[in-house]
Amino acid sequence: MAESLAKLAAGVGSLLFRQLQDADTGTFTYLLADPATAEAVLIDPVFERQHRDLALIRELGLQLVASLDTHVHADHVTASWCLHAASGCAIGLSATAGADFVTRPLAHGDRIPFGTRSLLVRATPGHTDGCLTYVLDDASMAFTGDALLIRGCGRCDFQQGSARKLWQSIQGQILTLPDTCLLYPGHDYSGRSVTSVAEERRFNPRFGGAAREQDFVLHMDHLRLPHPHRIDEAVPGNLRSGRPQQTSEPQEPWAPLQRTYAGLDEVLPDWVSAHRDQVTLLDVRSLEEWQGPDGRVPGSLHLPLSELSERQAELPRDRPLVVVCYAGSRSALATQQLQRNGWSRVANLHGGLHRWADEGYPLACP
């Protein structure tokens, strides 16, 4: 089933590909998977988006084999260490960066396999000394990090940056790819998502057209950009591969919550059944359904979704809430509504009454 879903999600091609974005930093994260084996890699994951990425990987039935960063970022902290802790995947980063907890130090010419597909590592220093570009095995796409941006490139004024090195990297390692190769950058702030070698060679105002190395160096030397506002946090965090510095014991969640790719917290029927005396089950179906032949979970409360906004003050707060409907759709809406209104211990029952009954848990009938 997992392999079948991966194949369906890939469409007609031999690669499952998703481009994700962190709106706060403009960072792109890329998921690539071989649909035949369901093995996957992530490129440039963001710490605050780790649960989103893990949810997508889980929902598509993929096995994450590597979390890769294009460089030591200065504007966000990577999620690589957390993804490694959750999945056992490798942590890949340039060996030049010298970061802690890296399990796969990378150098120019290395190949990173995922199933029958692979990424070729090209060293592209200049933005930082440890920048890498990842090129898909058939050279149809490449992931350039901050070395090459859409109609731009990364700055060269910190972390051993060098405009001359970046010129050589762009001209020698990126623009030598086929004209048709699609280039996916590490960031964009203007709503653009992809470019190509042919486009950037012709239209990039910094190094395209008739631009020479001296033009590029003078351009980069006069950018006068402000320092990234998160650099003091991001660089040390990324030199730990994103491993958090614990200042206190982390608080245990009230349940083994599963965050969906849609951003919803859910719990499974087996956990709810085993902890029935520790939670309040809230059924948000209509009165007709509550009294109908589908039955209800014994001991659950009833409050229709249509009345939830006006009557939520009636709900008990001494125990966490697990919200339920027939299939889990309306209860998902109710869960999100309660969360927006300040309920911190609330989750949707995964699959609703339909899954509850399918797994053999008891129902009461009117």
Side-chain angles (χ1 to χ4, degrees), residues 64-68 80 83-84 87-92 101-104:
L64 185 64
V65 298
S67 177
L68 310 171
S80 281
L83 295 169
H84 166 76
S87 69
C89 70
I91 298 175
F101 309 112
V102 173
T103 65
R104 181 77 191 275

Side-chain angles (χ1 to χ4, degrees), residues 12-338:
V12 298
S14 60
L15 181 76
L16 191 161
F17 174 66
R18 296 290 185 269
Q19 182 180 43
L20 310 168
Q21 189 171 38
D22 173 48
D24 293 340
T25 62
T27 303
F28 286 122
T29 297
Y30 300 99
L31 173 67
L32 294 86
D34 171 20
T37 64
E39 290 190 357
V41 295
L42 267 178
I43 298 173
D44 286 342
V46 176
F47 184 89
E48 290 81 3
R49 300 290 174 259
Q50 59 182 282
H51 298 298
R52 174 202 66 183
D53 299 346
L54 285 168
L56 179 59
I57 289 164
R58 184 182 68 250
E59 289 180 8
L60 295 180
L62 303 176
Q63 177 193 356
L64 185 64
V65 298
S67 177
L68 310 171
D69 281 289
T70 52
H71 62 293
V72 174
H73 309 279
D75 52 6
H76 72 274
V77 177
T78 179
S80 281
W81 186 88
C82 296
L83 295 169
H84 166 76
S87 69
C89 70
I91 298 175
L93 181 70
S94 171
T96 303
D100 294 332
F101 309 112
V102 173
T103 65
R104 181 77 191 275
L106 297 170
H108 184 82
D110 285 348
R111 193 170 290 275
I112 304 158
F114 54 103
T116 62
R117 306 302 304 265
S118 64
L119 292 169
L120 178 66
V121 177
R122 292 194 177 194
T124 48
H127 170 59
T128 74
D129 224 20
C131 283
L132 302 175
T133 290
Y134 299 108
V135 182
L136 192 61
D137 44 30
D138 60 2
S140 63
M141 54 176 64
F143 303 89
T144 59
D146 289 7
L148 186 149
L149 304 174
I150 298 173
R151 305 301 191 266
C153 62
R155 59 197 295 174
C156 304
D157 56 344
F158 57 81
Q159 288 198 84
Q160 302 85 44
S162 165
R164 294 193 182 279
K165 283 185 180 180
L166 185 55
W167 169 270
Q168 293 163 7
S169 293
I170 292 170
Q171 298 294 335
Q173 298 298 331
I174 299 177
L175 296 186
T176 54
L177 292 166
D179 282 351
T180 54
C181 181
L182 298 178
L183 303 178
Y184 291 90
H187 299 274
D188 193 80
Y189 311 99
S190 302
R192 301 166 299 195
S193 59
V194 63
T195 184
S196 68
V197 169
E199 287 175 69
E200 296 307 313
R201 184 186 289 119
R202 181 173 180 181
F203 296 118
N204 195 297
R206 299 185 182 183
F207 54 76
R212 300 167 298 175
E213 182 176 352
Q214 66 189 57
D215 302 314
F216 179 75
V217 171
L218 286 170
H219 181 116
M220 299 304 294
D221 285 349
H222 289 83
L223 285 179
R224 303 291 186 266
L225 296 172
H227 241 37
H229 73 278
R230 290 187 62 186
I231 188 171
D232 293 336
E233 167 197 0
V235 171
N238 289 316
L239 289 174
R240 299 191 305 272
S241 298
R243 181 176 182 176
Q245 284 186 314
Q246 295 290 356
T247 56
S248 60
E249 287 295 319
Q251 187 176 0
E252 287 293 322
W254 60 269
L257 301 175
Q258 289 190 353
R259 176 65 61 89
T260 71
Y261 186 52
L264 181 70
D265 286 331
E266 294 191 328
V267 287
L268 297 174
D270 60 349
W271 183 89
V272 175
S273 177
H275 298 80
R276 186 65 189 83
D277 59 341
Q278 299 174 25
V279 299
T280 297
L281 264 168
L282 175 64
D283 194 315
V284 295
R285 294 176 296 162
S286 68
L287 180 61
E288 292 76 18
E289 290 173 290
W290 167 259
Q291 297 175 339
D294 291 328
R296 54 181 178 259
V297 179
S300 56
L301 297 181
H302 178 241
L303 182 57
L305 177 60
S306 60
E307 302 175 24
L308 183 61
S309 295
E310 294 75 25
R311 296 178 55 194
Q312 63 179 285
E314 302 174 19
L315 297 173
R317 286 185 175 267
D318 59 326
R319 294 186 291 181
L321 282 176
V322 176
V323 191
V324 61
C325 68
Y326 178 72
S329 175
R330 283 170 291 169
S331 55
L333 185 60
T335 300
Q336 292 170 327
Q337 183 176 316
L338 288 165

